[in-house]
Amino acid sequence: MNSTKLSIVDLTKRYAPGLEPAVDRLNMSVEEGHLVALLGPSGCGKTTTLRMVAGLMDPTSGSIVVDGKDITHTPVNKRGMGMVFQSYALFPHMDVAQNVAFGLQMRKVPAKEQAKRVAAALDMVQLGHLAKRKVRELSGGQQQRIALARALVVEPTLLLLDEPLSNLDAKLRETMRTEIRSIQQRTGATTLFVTHDQDEALDMADRIAVMNGGLIEQFGPPTEVYERPNTHFVANFIGQANFLTANVVSENGPATDGERYYKVDIEGLGTFGAVGHPGLTGTHELVIRPQRLQASLHAPLGANSITGTIERVSYTGDTLGFSVRAGERLLHAQLMTSSADMPRQGDTAHLSWEAADAYIIPKTPQGPAS
Amino acid sequence: MAEAPLFKPKLKVGKPLFGILVFLMYVFLSAPLLIVFIVSFDSNQFLSFPPQGFTFKWYELLPKETTFMNGLRISLIVAPIVTLIVLLIGVPAALALDRFEFKAKGALQSFFLSPLLIPSIVLALGLVLLFSPLRLTNTYAGIVIGHVAITFPFVVRTTLMSLATSDTSCEAAARILGANSWTVFRRITLPIIQPGVIAGGVIAFIVSFDEAVISLFVAESGLPTLPVNVLRYVENQADAAVAALSVILILFSLVVVVIVERVMGLRKALR
C-alpha cells in the first residue's frame, strides 16, 4: 500500500500582520509516488505553498511533515528537495554537466560516482550528447529538461515543479507534459506541481488541489475534481460549465458511488433529473458541462430537456459551440462537428442531458451564480 | 532572426552633416591626448605647441626623475589596496541594497552614490579637518580612506547593474541543491555578477591612481601620490617630461581596459 510522503498541517502564510493570509490553514497529504498539482489562478497561494515546502519561505504557522519528520524549521539546504523553476534557473556560468553535478558536489559524492549519475540523469532526459554545452546555447525545452535532470539526480525527497511549462510554446508544452509525467512515474519521485493550467493538471496529476484565496477548494483525482466539483469556483475554474440554480424537490433513489438521484425544480423551466450527495435539500447550484448537453433541432431527446433559441454559434474545427437562450438563461453546449445537423443562429434547439451529468454542487451557493 | 530597427533615420540630407558632427566630436575628445602625444616627442625645452623637433629624451629622463618615481611607488601601493578594500565593502553593500527590503533603502542608496555628486574639494577639505585630530594626514590609511570614499559609488553601481540582470532563482536553486549561504555566494552569485565586480574594480583602480585633489589635501607633504607630484613638477619646471609620463599612463590604462574587455567584456558590464 502507498504511504503518506508529505503532510501539510494548518500551514499559514501571512506576508504582513493585518493582511489577508496568502495561504490560510492549508491541510493536505500526498502519497508516496504521487504527482499532485496545485492548481489555481494567480495569487491563490499555490506558489507560496510550494516555496514553503521547499524551505525558501518561512510559514507564519503550521507545519510541514515529510516521511513522518517535521521539517518546518529545517533550513532549505538540508531538506534534500529537488526543484524546477519557471525560469529554469540554470547556472549560466557552468556547462550542462556541471549544472547537473552541482547537487552531487554539495552532497560530497565521489567524483567517479558523480560522473556516472550525471550521465544517467542526462540520458534520462535524452540530452546526454549536450553535457559539455554552455547553458545559453540550449533551447527552452532543453533547458527545461536539464533543470529536471539537475533536480532528479540527487534523488530528492520531493520533486517540486513551479510552473515548469509556462515558458514553452504550446506544442512543446504538450510533449514536455508527457515526458515529465513519464519520468516522474519511472523515478517514482513524489511531486508537487504548481500550475495555473487546468489541462496540465488534469493530464498529469494523480491528485489535484484546486486553490483559491489561500484555501484548498477541493482535493481529489482529476475525474472527481472535474465531474464532481465541490464548489462553484472549482466547477468554473476547471473546464467550462453551465450553472443553474435549482431547488431540490425529492430524492429519487440511489445512483453509482453512493450518490443519489434527485428531482430538482429550476425556476421557470420545470423539473429535471440530477445527481448529488445523499441528503441534499433546499437551493443548490447545478453544474452541467457543455459537452454533456445533447442538442436536437427537432424534438426533445429525453426527459431532461430545455428548449430555446440559438443565440450564437462558434466553430473551432474540432467542436461546434453554441449558446442557447431559454428565458433569461443562456446555456452553452458543445458538439462534435461531424454532426449532420448543423445548427444555425436563430434556430430553435432542444438541449437535454442524462440525470447523471447534472451534478448538484453540495455547498449552497453564496451570492448570485455567474 | 533579424530584428527590425526601432529607430530608422529618414533624413538623407542630414546624413553627411551628421557624419561631420560625429567626426568633430571625436576630434574634440581626442585632441588633448593627441597633443600630449605629440608634445612628448618635442625637443623644445619648455612645454609648447606646435612642436619644434623630435626627441626621445623626455622618455629617457623619466626613470631618473625621482619625483615621478616616488609618486608612482606610492600610487602603486595605494591603488591596489583601495581596489581591494572598496570591493570588499562595495560588493556586499550592493548585494544588501539589491536583495533586502528595509526602511532606509532609498535613502541609503542615494547616500552610497552621493560622493559622485559632492565636489572632491569639499570632500577633501572635510577629510583633512577630520584626519588632523586623528593623526591620519600624511598616512597611507588617510589616502586609502579618502579614495575608498570616492570609488565606493562606482563599485556599488556596477555591481548593482550586474545584480539587476541576474536571476535570483539561481541562488534559490543552489540552496535547494544543498549549498549553504557562503557556497551560494562563492559558486553562484559571485561568478554571475563577476563582470560588474571586475568593472567596478578596474574603475576604482584607475580613479584612485588618477586622483589628485584628495591626495593633495590629505598627504601632500608626507606621501605625495603620482598625480600630486605631477602637479608639483609642472609648477616648477614646464618641460615635456610630464607629457611623456602622460603618454605612458594613457597606454597603461588602455592596456588594462583592453585586457579586461577581452577577458571579461567590460562593455557588457557597464551597459
Side-chain angles (χ1 to χ4, degrees):
Chain A
M1 257 326 273
N2 282 337
S3 60
T4 304
K5 180 79 178 176
L6 164 72
S7 312
I8 295 173
V9 185
D10 285 336
L11 194 68
T12 301
K13 177 68 184 181
R14 215 180 273 274
Y15 283 105
L19 277 184
E20 284 287 302
V23 174
D24 194 2
R25 279 160 294 159
L26 187 125
N27 284 281
M28 185 165 86
S29 63
V30 177
E31 277 179 27
E32 175 109 51
H34 268 190
L35 188 153
V36 171
L38 300 175
L39 174 67
S42 52
C44 72
K46 56 190 194 294
T47 299
T48 306
T49 305
L50 191 79
R51 294 182 79 84
M52 287 193 282
V53 173
L56 294 171
M57 203 180 259
D58 288 326
T60 310
S61 60
S63 54
I64 300 161
V65 180
V66 173
D67 293 326
K69 212 177 113 226
D70 188 328
I71 60 154
T72 317
H73 302 291
T74 308
V76 47
N77 56 332
K78 304 266 187 264
R79 289 193 185 188
M81 305 273 177
M83 183 156 170
V84 175
F85 291 78
Q86 189 172 0
S87 63
Y88 316 136
L90 295 177
F91 309 134
H93 54 292
M94 298 183 193
D95 68 24
V96 166
Q98 286 167 335
N99 260 283
V100 177
F102 189 84
L104 298 174
Q105 285 168 16
M106 294 302 116
R107 283 161 178 73
K108 306 215 159 45
V109 173
K112 242 190 197 148
E113 199 194 326
Q114 266 185 41
K116 224 164 68 189
R117 282 169 70 175
V118 167
L122 286 175
D123 285 342
M124 176 182 68
V125 296
Q126 294 158 30
L127 291 179
H129 56 291
L130 296 181
K132 289 292 158 217
R133 283 288 183 85
K134 284 271 173 222
V135 166
R136 63 170 168 275
E137 294 165 5
L138 304 179
S139 69
Q142 289 170 335
Q143 292 194 23
Q144 150 72 247
R145 288 184 218 195
I146 299 301
L148 190 64
R150 185 178 68 178
L152 282 170
V153 75
V154 297
E155 289 164 8
T157 45
L158 288 173
L159 178 63
L160 309 172
L161 308 174
D162 184 11
E163 304 249 9
L165 302 175
S166 59
N167 283 347
L168 301 175
D169 61 63
K171 199 97 189 171
L172 196 55
R173 207 177 302 164
E174 281 196 22
T175 326
M176 283 311 296
R177 231 194 242 174
T178 323
E179 190 165 331
I180 290 181
R181 177 59 164 163
S182 89
I183 288 172
Q184 183 266 332
Q185 282 176 327
R186 260 184 289 149
T187 56
T190 312
T191 304
L192 272 187
F193 181 96
V194 162
T195 181
H196 63 269
D197 184 327
Q198 38 151 330
D199 292 336
E200 253 168 53
L202 290 170
D203 184 14
M204 295 170 69
D206 294 296
R207 294 282 184 279
I208 297 177
V210 184
M211 291 185 68
N212 181 33
L215 300 165
I216 292 183
E217 296 256 342
Q218 188 165 2
F219 184 58
T223 46
E224 192 182 299
V225 170
Y226 183 80
E227 307 279 349
R228 297 294 182 251
N230 270 344
T231 64
H232 177 91
F233 177 84
V234 173
N236 197 34
F237 189 77
I238 300 182
Q240 289 172 296
N242 292 300
F243 294 102
L244 295 163
T245 308
N247 281 306
V248 174
V249 177
S250 62
E251 216 183 276
N252 273 5
T256 48
D257 294 333
E259 289 178 332
R260 298 283 190 277
Y261 285 115
Y262 287 93
K263 192 155 112 186
V264 298
D265 178 65
I266 301 174
E267 203 189 321
L269 294 177
T271 57
F272 301 92
V275 72
H277 279 310
L280 294 174
T281 53
T283 308
H284 286 272
E285 259 192 313
L286 208 59
V287 56
I288 310 172
R289 300 293 181 185
Q291 66 275 24
R292 302 288 162 81
L293 281 174
Q294 285 131 27
S296 154
L297 296 182
H298 312 294
L301 292 168
N304 306 308
S305 182
I306 292 177
T307 305
T309 318
I310 296 177
E311 205 168 85
R312 206 175 71 83
V313 178
S314 69
Y315 176 80
T316 61
D318 292 342
T319 59
L320 185 74
F322 50 100
S323 311
V324 174
R325 180 162 296 279
E328 61 213 39
R329 293 183 180 81
L330 198 61
L331 289 164
H332 303 284
Q334 226 171 48
L335 292 181
M336 293 296 155
T337 46
S338 63
S339 316
D341 242 357
M342 288 285 252
R344 280 190 310 265
Q345 199 176 339
D347 285 353
T348 298
H350 309 276
L351 298 176
S352 53
W353 65 84
E354 302 282 336
D357 288 330
Y359 182 67
I360 304 169
I361 294 177
K363 291 206 177 130
T364 45
Q366 295 158 350
S370 55
Chain B
M1 285 208 302
E3 279 177 36
L6 290 172
F7 172 71
K8 211 176 184 179
K10 282 195 179 134
L11 294 164
K12 283 263 158 64
V13 207
K15 220 173 173 187
L17 213 67
F18 183 69
I20 292 168
L21 191 69
V22 170
F23 176 75
L24 286 178
M25 281 175 73
Y26 274 118
V27 169
F28 176 74
L29 287 175
S30 53
L33 301 182
L34 277 173
I35 289 177
V36 164
F37 187 74
I38 294 165
V39 166
S40 72
F41 296 105
D42 184 4
S43 58
N44 196 336
Q45 195 56 40
F46 303 102
L47 270 177
S48 66
F49 197 81
Q52 291 170 346
F54 182 84
T55 179
F56 276 120
K57 74 172 174 191
W58 304 119
Y59 288 92
E60 287 156 11
L61 197 105
L62 284 181
K64 285 172 245 156
E65 185 56 64
T66 47
T67 329
F68 291 158
M69 286 303 121
N70 281 337
L72 183 65
R73 191 173 50 82
I74 292 167
S75 282
L76 283 179
I77 292 171
V78 170
I81 296 176
V82 167
T83 308
L84 190 72
I85 292 178
V86 80
L87 287 179
L88 284 177
I89 306 173
V91 173
L95 271 168
L97 279 179
D98 187 70
R99 295 292 152 81
F100 300 126
E101 286 301 327
F102 46 91
K103 242 187 202 152
K105 188 168 169 171
L108 208 58
Q109 198 152 5
S110 310
F111 176 70
F112 281 171
L113 301 179
S114 65
L116 285 178
L117 305 173
I118 299 172
S120 23
I121 194 117
V122 175
L123 199 64
L125 198 63
L127 286 174
V128 172
L129 294 176
L130 178 71
F131 285 171
S132 296
L134 297 173
R135 296 176 185 285
L136 282 171
T137 47
N138 292 320
T139 60
Y140 279 112
I143 309 177
V144 167
I145 291 171
H147 284 189
V148 165
I150 56 162
T151 52
F152 184 70
F154 293 105
V155 172
V156 171
R157 280 226 49 184
T158 54
T159 311
L160 274 179
M161 274 191 280
S162 273
L163 280 169
T165 54
S166 73
D167 181 3
T168 46
S169 52
C170 277
E171 293 168 354
R175 283 200 287 155
I176 287 175
L177 286 170
N180 59 31
S181 311
W182 171 243
T183 310
V184 170
F185 177 73
R186 196 173 51 83
R187 301 255 343 244
I188 309 296
T189 315
L190 200 54
I192 291 176
I193 64 171
Q194 187 176 316
V197 173
I198 302 251
V202 169
I203 294 173
F205 187 94
I206 292 175
V207 168
S208 164
F209 196 75
D210 187 48
E211 204 285 328
V213 181
I214 288 174
S215 311
L216 195 66
F217 271 63
V218 169
E220 192 203 349
S221 52
L223 288 168
T225 58
L226 186 59
V228 171
N229 271 347
V230 168
L231 213 64
R232 281 169 155 184
Y233 187 88
V234 178
E235 277 171 357
N236 298 329
Q237 52 234 95
D239 62 32
V242 172
L245 179 68
S246 305
V247 169
I248 290 183
L249 292 183
I250 290 166
L251 291 178
F252 172 70
S253 306
L254 214 62
V255 167
V256 170
V257 170
V258 167
I259 290 175
V260 172
E261 161 65 25
R262 276 292 135 82
V263 179
M264 299 295 167
L266 188 59
R267 229 176 321 165
K268 223 190 294 170
L270 286 176
R271 204 164 40 193

